[in-house]
Amino acid sequence: MKHQSHTTNPTEIKRINRSDVDLSVGDKRESFTVHKLEIENLEISKGLPVLAIALSGFTEERLSLGTADKLVLPVTGDLSALDPIKPLQFRIIIFDPDTKVIVASCEGITARNDTDEAESVPLLPVEQQKLGERLWRLCADQGVAPVLYVNDDPDLGMIKRLRLGDDPIVRALILPEAIQQALEHVAVSDSEEEWRSSWLTFIAELGQPFPDEFEEKDSSEISEWAMKVVDVWLMKNPFKRNILLCGVDNE
Amino acid sequence: MSELLSMRRLKDSGIEEFFEFINKKRVGESVPVPSHLITDLERSEDMYLDVKIDPEKIFSNRIEFGTYLWDKIRGDWNENLRVDGGLWTWLALVYFGQLCPPKKPSRPEHYILTVGKWRKACARDYSYRHSVLTPVRIIKDFNDHAEFFLSGTVDRPFTDMTEMGDAIEQVFSNQCVMRNKNLLDTVLSLYQDNLTKRVKKGSMSDPKIKLLKSGKWSQVGKGGARRLITRMIPRLQLTYNVSKILPNGLLKITGKEFSESKFINN
């Protein structure tokens, strides 16, 4: 049976563009920093309180960013009380202090790492976790953006190998499979979840369709589609060719 | 009174042995409680706290248990103790006889605190289920609501220490609720019995979509804690800064399912 879903916004909450927010997390998930929040173009009353909320599983941490006309940035919040294993997501809300109604928000934000380029928005955030003998695992919990967990053993240096391209073989072995799994997660997730927008942009930029309705969310149909998207992405990111070129250069 | 024990902590090897014992016992194997670990110098170590406990003391419920331990440990309390898996697992072993249900032990996380390496196998943080740490935390931080969390329901009060109770699973497990006074007060105003301070009957039930023989839909779970905490509050959070809304105001915006539920003023 086909189903159709749509997003409602009965209280007319204004959307803060993801690109107007710059938010980063420390390498060990100990703290987060809001560097930038551009809300001048939103037509909202001055003096409304602005909050950043960090969420992980059933835990959350709130951090005041000041008011809409007087933001106090950058500002750093503590994450030590949050569930360390569940995927970390953020929201920015601006609310009416009398009615407590949210007037503007940015939902489902995944943060870049402190060491990433400023204002970059990660499509697939990478976090270090205790994974035992596993090198990596895609965390794709219902309702939240997929996160690539890598083994936190410092001797492995997985973050460095993945992020800086120091190890093209590790990147080539992990990223296509991780992205494929993430795409499958996007396909079965609720269309109202805002974290999907960056993935939908990614898919569109590859010139690939995102089927509005997968027949009964058929898993083989979804896998086939995800594999095709990854194949197209690999044409722009030719891992094999790069590895071979590196090999030739090294000889 | 029996001989008092100085507070100790299990080392990893001791926790592993206790873990294996629990798993064997859960599948019906006849294995003795590894009580030797309590004082084993290889697999446990002294905490070097000036705290002694009575291992033979019998508690009538987890409120009494949590109060006893908190009184003992409060002078030495620091936040590092809260995540000391060896300490809480050692305490669970000391009082295992009173914490273990008659048929078989509960799942390992009820005795072994799931922190550090003991957390990695769990997709979720199950440390709230710990049979020793949670009563102590409730007495320490939520003493006024101890009956709600630790003494069972109005119709079935706990008479020993073997049960955890659904208020722990449905409410205490959710730190967004526990750390927010307005949300916690809303939950208590709906689901705590005014007289006994225990959990109201049926308030923690799992909602069922079931057509009864009478032709009416089952009302189980309607207006209950599970619907409020896992369905309604997350929805409202998209529209309101929920944590700033007082309980009366929150009940108004939750709709009739809650504002006119059988749990109101009952």
Side-chain angles (χ1 to χ4, degrees):
Chain A
M1 190 177 77
K2 290 184 178 183
H3 76 280
Q4 212 172 3
S5 60
H6 59 93
T7 305
T8 61
N9 185 10
T11 54
E12 297 182 342
I13 296 171
K14 294 190 166 57
R15 296 299 175 207
I16 301 168
N17 286 332
R18 176 64 184 89
S19 56
D20 292 334
V21 181
D22 185 25
L23 204 153
S24 69
V25 173
D27 225 13
K28 292 178 181 165
R29 245 174 93 148
E30 70 284 8
S31 63
F32 71 104
T33 303
V34 182
H35 304 270
K36 181 188 95 167
L37 176 62
E38 287 181 356
I39 51 175
E40 295 82 7
N41 295 334
L42 291 179
E43 290 174 6
I44 54 173
S45 308
K46 291 177 179 176
L48 297 182
V50 184
L51 284 180
I53 304 171
L55 302 149
S56 177
F58 288 127
T59 56
E60 69 171 38
E61 197 65 59
R62 290 164 169 255
L63 179 67
S64 171
L65 307 183
T67 54
D69 58 331
K70 203 181 261 184
L71 291 169
V72 185
L73 297 176
V75 62
T76 297
D78 183 26
L79 291 174
S80 58
L82 262 60
D83 185 337
I85 284 192
K86 302 302 279 184
L88 188 60
Q89 287 218 337
F90 296 86
R91 328 169 54 197
I92 303 279
I93 63 168
I94 302 173
F95 67 98
D96 182 321
D98 298 324
T99 62
K100 319 296 187 240
V101 170
I102 294 172
V103 296
S105 70
C106 185
E107 304 282 352
I109 304 170
T110 49
R112 66 176 172 84
N113 196 280
D114 272 348
T115 52
D116 288 344
E117 188 185 335
E119 298 190 26
S120 61
V121 178
L123 180 69
L124 183 59
V126 181
E127 286 183 19
Q128 298 188 84
Q129 291 283 347
K130 294 188 189 318
L131 297 180
E133 291 302 310
R134 276 178 190 263
L135 290 186
W136 69 278
R137 177 170 79 81
L138 190 87
C139 179
D141 283 4
Q142 193 181 355
V144 291
V147 179
L148 177 57
Y149 284 174
V150 294
N151 198 304
D152 69 347
D153 189 325
D155 292 338
L156 287 170
M158 290 298 289
I159 288 267
K160 188 166 177 280
R161 286 169 189 261
L162 274 177
R163 286 230 167 108
L164 304 178
D166 274 9
D167 193 333
I169 292 182
V170 167
R171 282 172 66 85
L173 288 172
I174 294 176
L175 290 183
E177 178 58 26
I179 289 173
Q180 185 172 324
Q181 287 183 23
L183 285 164
E184 289 171 7
H185 178 57
V186 175
V188 297
S189 59
D190 196 312
S191 62
E192 290 180 22
E193 290 165 12
E194 298 197 17
W195 60 265
R196 295 164 88 242
S197 62
S198 56
W199 280 96
L200 297 181
T201 306
F202 168 75
I203 295 159
E205 283 176 358
L206 290 173
Q208 293 304 296
F210 182 76
D212 289 335
E213 298 152 4
F214 284 103
E215 280 288 341
E216 293 186 351
K217 306 256 178 192
D218 177 82
S219 60
S220 60
E221 189 188 355
I222 291 170
S223 292
E224 203 175 305
W225 164 80
M227 197 182 292
K228 195 177 170 201
V229 176
V230 171
D231 285 343
V232 175
W233 177 72
L234 283 170
M235 289 166 75
K236 296 188 174 184
N237 297 274
F239 285 117
K240 188 187 84 175
R241 196 192 312 156
N242 289 344
I243 290 168
L244 292 173
L245 282 173
C246 271
V248 170
D249 287 347
N250 289 340
E251 281 172 2
Chain B
M1 192 170 74
S2 59
E3 194 179 335
L4 297 180
L5 273 180
S6 284
M7 199 90 94
R8 296 176 69 80
R9 62 191 305 281
L10 286 183
K11 293 181 182 175
D12 278 353
S13 57
I15 296 176
E16 270 161 30
E17 194 172 327
F18 189 26
F19 182 74
E20 276 175 30
F21 157 77
I22 293 164
N23 285 332
K24 284 180 180 170
K25 196 82 178 159
R26 277 175 59 76
V27 295
E29 281 188 44
S30 178
V31 280
V33 179
S35 304
H36 62 280
L37 295 173
I38 294 169
T39 50
D40 188 313
L41 297 178
E42 291 286 312
R43 280 163 286 186
S44 67
E45 60 193 351
D46 204 313
M47 290 289 293
Y48 298 107
L49 299 174
D50 189 19
V51 178
K52 289 188 187 316
I53 56 163
D54 180 357
E56 303 293 331
K57 188 172 172 59
I58 303 294
F59 301 95
S60 53
N61 55 47
R62 291 190 184 190
I63 296 182
E64 208 180 294
F65 183 47
T67 306
Y68 172 78
L69 288 175
W70 176 237
D71 282 347
K72 292 281 179 189
I73 207 171
R74 67 189 312 160
D76 292 281
W77 182 261
N78 65 67
E79 279 304 302
N80 289 334
L81 288 183
R82 200 175 77 81
V83 290
D84 190 330
L87 166 66
W88 302 106
T89 307
W90 181 82
L91 282 164
L93 177 59
V94 171
Y95 294 105
F96 186 77
Q98 293 185 66
L99 296 168
C100 180
K103 286 185 182 171
K104 63 174 185 179
S106 305
R107 289 165 50 109
E109 67 266 18
H110 288 260
Y111 315 101
I112 291 166
L113 186 64
T114 49
V115 292
K117 68 177 279 193
W118 298 99
R119 167 74 204 274
K120 72 182 177 199
C122 309
R124 196 181 152 187
D125 181 1
Y126 287 122
S127 61
Y128 65 86
R129 290 183 179 170
H130 198 269
S131 54
V132 186
L133 175 60
T134 292
V136 170
R137 282 185 62 196
I138 287 172
I139 297 300
K140 173 181 171 287
D141 297 328
F142 303 98
N143 199 14
D144 292 347
H145 313 308
E147 279 83 4
F148 179 76
F149 290 109
L150 297 172
S151 66
T153 59
V154 174
D155 57 320
R156 209 173 66 79
F158 293 156
T159 54
D160 60 25
M161 301 222 293
T162 57
E163 287 183 81
M164 177 183 74
D166 241 2
I168 301 283
E169 189 66 43
Q170 307 309 331
V171 185
F172 189 75
S173 65
N174 192 316
Q175 291 305 296
C176 295
V177 173
M178 294 306 295
R179 291 178 67 196
N180 186 280
K181 189 176 182 309
N182 288 336
L183 289 181
L184 182 57
D185 285 349
T186 305
V187 168
L188 292 167
S189 73
L190 278 169
Y191 309 123
Q192 185 175 36
D193 180 65
N194 286 335
L195 194 62
T196 63
K197 303 297 176 193
R198 294 195 177 97
V199 173
K200 286 178 186 172
K201 184 183 175 186
S203 63
M204 302 286 149
S205 301
D206 198 8
K208 297 261 188 309
I209 301 174
K210 185 180 173 187
L211 195 58
L212 303 173
K213 284 178 184 170
S214 62
K216 291 180 178 174
W217 288 97
S218 168
Q219 299 292 298
V220 172
K222 185 179 176 185
R226 295 191 198 209
R227 288 266 308 144
L228 180 74
I229 293 171
T230 61
R231 296 277 179 246
M232 185 52 70
I233 289 177
R235 255 182 241 169
L236 290 174
Q237 278 172 331
L238 292 174
T239 308
Y240 297 93
N241 187 15
V242 169
S243 63
K244 294 283 182 198
I245 304 177
L246 294 171
N248 278 344
L250 192 55
L251 277 178
K252 276 183 195 159
I253 59 171
T254 52
K256 287 182 181 175
E257 179 183 349
F258 298 94
S259 63
E260 295 179 10
S261 86
K262 63 181 177 182
F263 300 114
I264 288 277
N265 301 325
N266 179 10

